[in-house]
């Protein structure tokens, strides 16, 4: 009976080895080609993104300066006009972070494939994960803001309709 238990233990150990071997991933030449292409296109898009962020920031500064010196002829605005430029600066700052993650992934993956460096490979995929996490969180925040604005608009419309209805009866 003891020999039977030992035999079963050996079989389980061999099955565990087979299961562990089956669960590993291999980076084939085809996958390397795909990752290299993703790195190339990612770097192109990241550089293009940096240029766009630069244009947004420059445009924001110009708007801040120009609109600060324009007198109140822009209409009766409830806020100073230079805040439009500040809004562009904020958008540029928000847009910079995912572009930076994309650039780090792209350059990291190309370097890791060229040098066959596992640490660089891991860092590249960390930046890819960070990019997708940022996009996911940003999407949820924008969706919540849309719902909030929609709710405010509905209540403002109902309140405006109610006050005009009450004003008509008086």
């Amino acid at each position: 009976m003891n020999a039977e238990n030992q035999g079963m233990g050996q079989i389980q150990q061999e099955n565990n080895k087979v299961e562990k071997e089956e669960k590993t991933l291999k980076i084939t030449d085809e996958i390397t080609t795909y990752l290299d292409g993703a790195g190339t296109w990612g770097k192109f898009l990241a550089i293009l993104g940096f240029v766009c962020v630069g244009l947004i920031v420059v445009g924001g500064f110009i708007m801040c300066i120009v609109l600060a010196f324009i007198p109140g002829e822009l209409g009766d605005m409830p806020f100073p006009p230079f805040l439009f430029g500040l809004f562009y600066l904020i958008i540029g700052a928000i847009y910079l972070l995912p572009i930076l993650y994309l650039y780090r992934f792209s350059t990291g993956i190309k370097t890791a494939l060229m040098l066959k460096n596992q640490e660089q490979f891991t860092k590249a995929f960390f930046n890819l994960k960070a990019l997708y996490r940022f996009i996911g969180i940003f999407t949820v925040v924008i969706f919540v803001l849309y719902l909030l604005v929609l709710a405010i608009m509905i209540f403002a419309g109902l309140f405006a309709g109610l006050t005009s209805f009450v004003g008509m009866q008086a």
Side-chain angles (χ1 to χ4, degrees), residues 4-84:
E4 189 176 302
N5 284 342
Q6 286 178 346
M8 293 296 281
Q10 259 183 335
I11 292 172
Q12 283 181 336
Q13 286 177 351
E14 289 175 14
N15 286 341
N16 287 343
K17 285 181 183 177
V18 170
E19 286 177 13
K20 286 181 183 176
E21 289 175 10
E22 290 176 6
K23 292 185 180 182
T24 60
L25 297 175
K26 294 182 181 171
I27 301 171
T28 64
D29 289 339
E30 184 179 15
I31 292 171
T32 301
T33 303
Y34 295 152
L35 287 172
D36 188 54
T40 301
W41 281 105
K43 188 173 182 179
F44 169 73
L45 292 172
I47 290 170
L48 194 61
F50 285 134
V51 169
C52 288
V53 166
L55 292 174
I56 289 171
V57 168
V58 167
F61 276 125
I62 290 171
M63 286 177 68
C64 281
I65 293 168
V66 170
L67 293 177
F69 290 112
I70 293 178
E73 287 114 20
L74 292 176
D76 294 330
M77 297 179 92
F79 51 86
F82 75 89
L83 289 181
F84 283 118

Side-chain angles (χ1 to χ4, degrees), residues 123-136:
K123 285 180 183 178
F125 275 98
F126 171 80
N127 282 295
L128 184 64
K129 177 191 167 221
L131 169 65
Y132 284 122
R133 182 181 57 215
F134 179 88
I135 291 171

Side-chain angles (χ1 to χ4, degrees), residues 157-170:
L158 289 174
F159 183 73
L162 182 65
T163 54
S164 71
F165 178 72
V166 171
M168 289 175 62
Q169 286 184 345

